[in-house]
Amino acid sequence: MKATGIVRRIDDLGRVVVPKEIRKVLRIREGDPLEIYTGVAGEVILKKYSPIGELSQMAEIFAESVSSTLGLPVLVSDTDHYVAASGVKSKDYLNKEIEDELDSIIQQKSEYKTDSKVIIPILANGDPIGSVTILPAAGKTLSDLEFTTARLGAGFLGRQMDN
């Protein structure tokens, strides 16, 4: 655990304010769910909850299936990190923080398509929880097939969280 030097008091309703600086660094936004843990020495630990993390095994299977079928790299992320990668060097992506551009696309709930990248946000109950990204093979461009495939995958993963 890393000390921040910031001290906050609990109010009469049992609430504690997470300082803006910490929320910014950890990309915690209003309405984001936090998991609460307790430590053996009396610590209270708040951890940003990743609903897509519950689907990481399904996300891995999806990424591997699509990548092997299309022969293209496929990435699945939550709102902070990549949780599945296939067709690329997994160590270059897995558990790495997502880029600001991807975060913006996810938060805007907007679909993004160019010749070099397809990104579809994963929505659960209308809330953005992650994304499916398909990248082209070297020297190739992406088509509507990859866009539709990413859209199907994002819809499927989102529906799994709805249930």
Side-chain angles (χ1 to χ4, degrees), residues 6-104:
I6 300 171
V7 175
R8 293 287 191 255
R9 296 196 183 278
I10 296 176
D11 72 9
D12 58 339
L13 295 176
R15 298 176 296 196
V16 176
V17 174
V18 178
K20 184 176 184 176
E21 300 85 4
I22 292 174
R23 293 192 319 261
K24 184 176 180 181
V25 168
L26 297 179
R27 292 182 175 173
I28 298 172
R29 295 174 184 85
E30 182 180 332
D32 282 353
L34 299 175
E35 284 185 283
I36 302 170
Y37 296 89
T38 57
V40 292
E43 305 96 348
V44 175
I45 302 160
L46 300 175
K47 182 179 177 188
K48 190 170 179 185
Y49 175 69
S50 170
I52 203 89
E54 294 178 16
L55 297 177
S56 62
Q57 187 174 12
M58 196 173 298
E60 287 174 27
I61 292 168
F62 166 77
E64 289 172 9
S65 298
V66 171
S67 180
S68 66
T69 301
L70 298 178
L72 300 172
V74 178
L75 306 170
V76 179
S77 76
D78 62 15
T79 56
D80 290 313
H81 298 88
Y82 290 100
V83 297
S86 186
V88 293
K89 293 180 183 174
S90 295
K91 65 180 180 185
D92 290 345
Y93 289 96
L94 282 181
N95 300 316
K96 298 276 169 79
E97 218 174 80
I98 64 171
E99 304 83 12
D100 289 338
E101 174 191 27
L102 178 55
D103 181 51
S104 177

Side-chain angles (χ1 to χ4, degrees), residues 112-132:
Y112 179 85
K113 179 182 181 262
T114 66
D115 289 344
S116 62
K117 189 185 303 186
V118 168
I119 301 170
I120 307 294
I122 300 170
L123 305 177
N125 299 313
D127 296 324
I129 62 167
S131 70
V132 172

